[in-house]
Amino acid sequence: MNYEHALKLNVLWIKKFRPHIKDNLLPDHKNINNANTAKMESARARCASFKCLKEMRDESPFTKDETIASIMMSDVFRGYDTSPPAMKQMYDAETRNELLEKSINEEDYCEKIISHLETSAEGLGLAIKQAKKEIVLLSYIYNLDMENANKHFEEWKKISYLSQDWWEENHNSRGVDIGDEEEHKNENAYIEFMNREKQIYQVFEKLLKIAKEQNDTVKPILKAGKRMNKRKNGKKNRG
Protein backbone atom coordinates (compact mmCIF):
# COMPACT_ATOMS: atom_id res chain seq x y z
CA MET A 1 0.00 0.00 0.00
CA ASN A 2 1.43 3.39 -0.99
CA TYR A 3 1.04 6.69 0.83
CA GLU A 4 -1.77 8.03 -1.38
CA HIS A 5 -3.85 4.86 -0.91
CA ALA A 6 -3.29 5.00 2.84
CA LEU A 7 -4.34 8.64 2.85
CA LYS A 8 -7.61 7.79 1.08
CA LEU A 9 -8.38 4.99 3.53
CA ASN A 10 -7.65 7.30 6.44
CA VAL A 11 -10.10 9.88 5.08
CA LEU A 12 -12.74 7.13 4.72
CA TRP A 13 -12.16 6.06 8.32
CA ILE A 14 -12.36 9.61 9.67
CA LYS A 15 -15.19 10.91 7.46
CA LYS A 16 -17.34 7.78 7.02
CA PHE A 17 -16.78 4.88 9.39
CA ARG A 18 -16.10 6.68 12.68
CA PRO A 19 -19.13 9.01 12.32
CA HIS A 20 -21.29 6.00 11.36
CA ILE A 21 -20.24 4.20 14.54
CA LYS A 22 -20.72 7.29 16.72
CA ASP A 23 -23.89 8.74 15.19
CA ASN A 24 -25.75 5.59 14.07
CA LEU A 25 -24.54 2.27 15.45
CA LEU A 26 -23.87 3.30 19.07
CA PRO A 27 -27.19 5.19 19.50
CA ASP A 28 -29.10 2.32 17.84
CA HIS A 29 -27.64 -0.28 20.19
CA LYS A 30 -28.20 1.96 23.22
CA ASN A 31 -31.85 2.39 22.20
CA ILE A 32 -32.23 -1.39 21.77
CA ASN A 33 -30.70 -1.92 25.21
CA ASN A 34 -33.04 0.63 26.81
CA ALA A 35 -36.10 -0.90 25.11
CA ASN A 36 -35.18 -4.43 26.19
CA THR A 37 -34.49 -3.25 29.74
CA ALA A 38 -37.96 -1.69 29.92
CA LYS A 39 -39.52 -4.88 28.54
CA MET A 40 -37.67 -7.04 31.05
CA GLU A 41 -38.71 -4.83 33.97
CA SER A 42 -42.31 -4.98 32.75
CA ALA A 43 -42.18 -8.79 32.41
CA ARG A 44 -40.76 -9.13 35.93
CA ALA A 45 -43.43 -6.80 37.36
CA ARG A 46 -46.24 -8.75 35.67
CA CYS A 47 -44.69 -12.02 36.82
CA ALA A 48 -44.68 -10.72 40.40
CA SER A 49 -48.36 -9.79 40.05
CA PHE A 50 -49.31 -13.26 38.83
CA LYS A 51 -47.30 -14.83 41.64
CA CYS A 52 -49.28 -12.66 44.04
CA LEU A 53 -52.54 -13.87 42.46
CA LYS A 54 -51.38 -17.48 42.69
CA GLU A 55 -50.52 -17.04 46.35
CA MET A 56 -53.93 -15.53 47.08
CA ARG A 57 -55.61 -18.33 45.14
CA ASP A 58 -53.75 -21.01 47.09
CA GLU A 59 -53.76 -19.47 50.56
CA SER A 60 -56.85 -17.27 50.86
CA PRO A 61 -59.22 -18.44 53.64
CA PHE A 62 -62.17 -16.92 51.76
CA THR A 63 -64.31 -18.28 48.94
CA LYS A 64 -63.17 -17.71 45.37
CA ASP A 65 -65.76 -14.98 44.85
CA GLU A 66 -64.71 -13.23 48.05
CA THR A 67 -61.05 -13.53 47.05
CA ILE A 68 -61.74 -11.99 43.62
CA ALA A 69 -63.72 -9.19 45.25
CA SER A 70 -60.84 -8.41 47.62
CA ILE A 71 -58.31 -8.40 44.77
CA MET A 72 -60.53 -6.00 42.80
CA MET A 73 -60.01 -3.50 45.62
CA SER A 74 -56.20 -3.81 45.33
CA ASP A 75 -53.78 -2.35 42.77
CA VAL A 76 -53.02 -5.72 41.16
CA PHE A 77 -53.36 -5.24 37.39
CA ARG A 78 -55.18 -1.94 37.87
CA GLY A 79 -55.36 -0.31 34.44
CA TYR A 80 -55.41 -3.66 32.64
CA ASP A 81 -58.56 -2.69 30.72
CA THR A 82 -56.51 -0.20 28.66
CA SER A 83 -53.72 -2.70 27.92
CA PRO A 84 -52.67 -3.32 24.29
CA PRO A 85 -54.69 -5.97 22.39
CA ALA A 86 -51.60 -8.20 22.16
CA MET A 87 -51.38 -8.43 25.96
CA LYS A 88 -55.10 -9.19 26.29
CA GLN A 89 -54.71 -11.89 23.65
CA MET A 90 -51.70 -13.36 25.49
CA TYR A 91 -53.65 -13.60 28.75
CA ASP A 92 -56.92 -14.56 27.02
CA ALA A 93 -58.77 -11.90 29.02
CA GLU A 94 -60.43 -8.72 27.73
CA THR A 95 -61.00 -7.08 31.11
CA ARG A 96 -59.30 -6.93 34.49
CA ASN A 97 -62.25 -8.69 36.07
CA GLU A 98 -61.97 -11.56 33.58
CA LEU A 99 -58.22 -11.80 34.18
CA LEU A 100 -58.67 -12.00 37.96
CA GLU A 101 -61.46 -14.58 37.64
CA LYS A 102 -59.26 -16.77 35.42
CA SER A 103 -56.34 -16.42 37.85
CA ILE A 104 -58.42 -17.60 40.79
CA ASN A 105 -60.76 -20.09 39.11
CA GLU A 106 -58.75 -21.75 36.33
CA GLU A 107 -56.28 -24.46 37.26
CA ASP A 108 -52.69 -23.83 36.10
CA TYR A 109 -53.63 -20.45 34.55
CA CYS A 110 -51.20 -18.47 36.72
CA GLU A 111 -48.52 -21.14 36.48
CA LYS A 112 -48.50 -21.09 32.67
CA ILE A 113 -48.28 -17.32 32.49
CA ILE A 114 -45.59 -17.14 35.19
CA SER A 115 -43.53 -19.70 33.27
CA HIS A 116 -43.98 -17.73 30.03
CA LEU A 117 -43.00 -14.44 31.66
CA GLU A 118 -39.95 -15.93 33.41
CA THR A 119 -38.78 -17.40 30.11
CA SER A 120 -39.32 -14.03 28.42
CA ALA A 121 -37.32 -12.26 31.12
CA GLU A 122 -34.51 -14.78 30.62
CA GLY A 123 -34.42 -14.08 26.88
CA LEU A 124 -34.54 -10.33 27.43
CA GLY A 125 -31.70 -10.65 29.93
CA LEU A 126 -29.56 -12.26 27.23
CA ALA A 127 -30.55 -9.52 24.77
CA ILE A 128 -29.51 -6.86 27.29
CA LYS A 129 -26.14 -8.53 27.89
CA GLN A 130 -25.63 -8.73 24.15
CA ALA A 131 -26.53 -5.09 23.53
CA LYS A 132 -24.22 -3.92 26.33
CA LYS A 133 -21.41 -6.00 24.86
CA GLU A 134 -22.11 -4.49 21.42
CA ILE A 135 -21.84 -0.98 22.84
CA VAL A 136 -18.48 -1.78 24.45
CA LEU A 137 -17.23 -3.51 21.30
CA LEU A 138 -18.21 -0.59 19.05
CA SER A 139 -16.48 1.83 21.43
CA TYR A 140 -13.22 -0.12 21.21
CA ILE A 141 -13.46 -0.31 17.41
CA TYR A 142 -14.12 3.45 17.30
CA ASN A 143 -10.93 4.06 19.30
CA LEU A 144 -8.90 1.46 17.33
CA ASP A 145 -8.20 -0.54 20.49
CA MET A 146 -7.94 -3.81 18.61
CA GLU A 147 -6.83 -5.99 21.51
CA ASN A 148 -9.95 -5.19 23.51
CA ALA A 149 -12.15 -5.08 20.39
CA ASN A 150 -11.19 -8.64 19.45
CA LYS A 151 -11.59 -9.80 23.05
CA HIS A 152 -15.12 -8.39 23.31
CA PHE A 153 -16.06 -9.71 19.88
CA GLU A 154 -15.28 -13.23 21.08
CA GLU A 155 -17.32 -12.60 24.24
CA TRP A 156 -20.18 -11.20 22.13
CA LYS A 157 -20.22 -14.36 20.01
CA LYS A 158 -20.63 -16.52 23.14
CA ILE A 159 -23.65 -14.48 24.25
CA SER A 160 -25.04 -14.56 20.70
CA TYR A 161 -24.85 -18.37 20.66
CA LEU A 162 -26.77 -18.48 23.97
CA SER A 163 -29.41 -16.14 22.52
CA GLN A 164 -29.71 -18.30 19.42
CA ASP A 165 -30.21 -21.39 21.57
CA TRP A 166 -32.86 -19.56 23.60
CA TRP A 167 -34.77 -18.58 20.46
CA GLU A 168 -34.55 -22.08 19.04
CA GLU A 169 -36.10 -23.51 22.21
CA ASN A 170 -38.62 -20.75 22.94
CA HIS A 171 -39.73 -19.19 19.64
CA ASN A 172 -43.31 -20.46 19.93
CA SER A 173 -45.62 -17.65 21.07
CA ARG A 174 -42.80 -15.12 20.64
CA GLY A 175 -42.62 -12.11 18.36
CA VAL A 176 -40.02 -9.84 16.76
CA ASP A 177 -40.91 -6.28 15.76
CA ILE A 178 -40.20 -5.54 12.10
CA GLY A 179 -41.86 -2.14 11.87
CA ASP A 180 -43.92 0.37 13.80
CA GLU A 181 -46.92 -1.94 14.06
CA GLU A 182 -45.77 -5.16 12.41
CA GLU A 183 -44.44 -8.26 14.06
CA HIS A 184 -43.09 -11.64 13.02
CA LYS A 185 -44.32 -14.47 15.24
CA ASN A 186 -43.34 -18.03 16.13
CA GLU A 187 -41.15 -19.68 13.44
CA ASN A 188 -40.98 -16.45 11.43
CA ALA A 189 -39.79 -14.61 14.53
CA TYR A 190 -36.99 -17.15 14.97
CA ILE A 191 -35.95 -16.74 11.33
CA GLU A 192 -36.04 -12.94 11.65
CA PHE A 193 -33.89 -13.09 14.79
CA MET A 194 -31.32 -15.39 13.16
CA ASN A 195 -31.12 -13.11 10.11
CA ARG A 196 -30.49 -10.13 12.38
CA GLU A 197 -27.76 -11.99 14.25
CA LYS A 198 -26.08 -12.82 10.94
CA GLN A 199 -26.25 -9.18 9.83
CA ILE A 200 -24.83 -7.89 13.12
CA TYR A 201 -22.03 -10.47 12.96
CA GLN A 202 -21.14 -9.37 9.42
CA VAL A 203 -21.14 -5.68 10.44
CA PHE A 204 -18.72 -6.38 13.29
CA GLU A 205 -16.48 -8.51 11.09
CA LYS A 206 -16.31 -5.75 8.48
CA LEU A 207 -15.62 -3.02 11.04
CA LEU A 208 -12.94 -5.10 12.76
CA LYS A 209 -11.24 -5.74 9.41
CA ILE A 210 -11.32 -2.04 8.53
CA ALA A 211 -10.11 -1.00 11.98
CA LYS A 212 -7.28 -3.56 11.89
CA GLU A 213 -6.11 -2.27 8.51
CA GLN A 214 -6.36 1.30 9.78
CA ASN A 215 -4.38 0.47 12.90
CA ASP A 216 -1.77 -1.96 11.50
CA THR A 217 -1.19 -0.61 8.00
CA VAL A 218 -2.65 2.84 7.31
CA LYS A 219 -1.39 4.62 10.42
CA PRO A 220 2.21 3.34 10.15
CA ILE A 221 2.38 4.29 6.44
CA LEU A 222 1.04 7.78 7.13
CA LYS A 223 3.43 8.18 10.04
CA ALA A 224 6.37 7.08 7.90
CA GLY A 225 5.24 9.42 5.12
CA LYS A 226 5.13 12.37 7.48
CA ARG A 227 8.66 11.61 8.73
CA MET A 228 9.88 11.40 5.15
CA ASN A 229 8.23 14.72 4.26
CA LYS A 230 9.83 16.36 7.30
CA ARG A 231 13.25 15.11 6.23
CA LYS A 232 12.67 16.38 2.69
CA ASN A 233 11.51 19.76 3.93
CA GLY A 234 14.50 19.93 6.28
CA LYS A 235 16.92 19.32 3.40
CA LYS A 236 15.20 21.98 1.29
CA ASN A 237 15.45 24.51 4.09
CA ARG A 238 19.14 23.74 4.62
CA GLY A 239 19.80 23.84 0.90
Side-chain angles (χ1 to χ4, degrees):
M1 183 185 298
N2 59 33
Y3 183 81
E4 287 186 1
H5 188 198
L7 198 59
K8 288 179 181 178
L9 291 178
N10 191 54
V11 170
L12 270 176
W13 173 252
I14 294 171
K15 297 293 186 180
K16 179 181 178 180
F17 292 112
R18 286 192 99 219
H20 180 58
I21 293 171
K22 181 182 178 181
D23 299 332
N24 298 311
L25 294 180
L26 278 170
D28 285 349
H29 288 275
K30 288 177 181 177
N31 290 336
I32 290 170
N33 183 57
N34 291 337
N36 284 331
T37 299
K39 287 179 182 178
M40 185 175 71
E41 290 174 352
S42 175
R44 286 177 172 173
R46 283 179 281 142
C47 189
S49 294
F50 277 108
K51 285 181 178 180
C52 177
L53 290 174
K54 177 181 177 297
E55 183 178 346
M56 294 186 74
R57 180 199 70 191
D58 295 341
E59 300 180 10
S60 175
F62 305 109
T63 65
K64 288 183 177 181
D65 288 343
E66 289 172 335
T67 301
I68 293 170
S70 67
I71 299 172
M72 286 294 292
M73 300 298 292
S74 72
D75 289 330
V76 177
F77 282 109
R78 190 171 294 280
Y80 177 83
D81 291 352
T82 58
S83 297
M87 183 180 292
K88 293 182 177 181
Q89 183 179 3
M90 182 189 304
Y91 300 148
D92 192 25
E94 282 296 319
T95 65
R96 178 176 182 243
N97 190 52
E98 185 180 0
L99 175 72
L100 297 179
E101 287 180 353
K102 282 178 173 289
S103 299
I104 301 303
N105 293 326
E106 289 190 17
E107 187 177 357
D108 293 335
Y109 178 80
C110 288
E111 286 82 350
K112 289 177 182 177
I113 294 177
I114 289 169
S115 176
H116 181 88
L117 289 170
E118 286 179 339
T119 304
S120 296
E122 179 189 3
L124 288 165
L126 286 170
I128 290 166
K129 285 183 180 179
Q130 201 168 340
K132 286 181 176 179
K133 186 61 65 177
E134 288 161 4
I135 292 166
V136 173
L137 171 55
L138 286 167
S139 298
Y140 281 125
I141 293 173
Y142 180 85
N143 291 310
L144 293 178
D145 185 342
M146 299 314 299
E147 182 179 353
N148 278 310
N150 287 317
K151 172 188 170 184
H152 284 276
F153 184 49
E154 292 303 315
E155 292 176 359
W156 175 86
K157 285 192 285 187
K158 292 177 182 177
I159 303 172
S160 175
Y161 296 146
L162 291 174
S163 294
Q164 291 172 41
D165 289 342
W166 183 93
W167 270 95
E168 186 175 4
E169 294 175 7
N170 301 291
H171 61 266
N172 289 328
S173 302
R174 309 288 167 180
V176 171
D177 294 333
I178 57 172
D180 292 338
E181 296 181 358
E182 290 188 79
E183 184 181 51
H184 278 163
K185 295 182 178 180
N186 303 327
E187 190 70 29
N188 288 333
Y190 173 62
I191 293 170
E192 177 70 18
F193 171 80
M194 294 300 290
N195 285 337
R196 291 184 184 184
E197 288 298 286
K198 180 181 178 181
Q199 290 170 3
I200 294 171
Y201 181 89
Q202 290 172 340
V203 167
F204 286 146
E205 268 201 326
K206 180 180 178 180
L207 287 174
L208 284 166
K209 182 180 178 181
I210 293 168
K212 184 178 188 305
E213 184 176 44
Q214 180 72 17
N215 201 51
D216 295 352
T217 306
V218 174
K219 287 174 68 177
I221 290 174
L222 293 180
K223 192 174 182 180
K226 286 179 182 178
R227 285 200 300 266
M228 188 178 296
N229 287 335
K230 283 183 179 180
R231 285 198 296 270
K232 286 180 180 179
N233 290 333
K235 288 180 181 179
K236 286 179 180 178
N237 292 334
R238 289 195 299 273

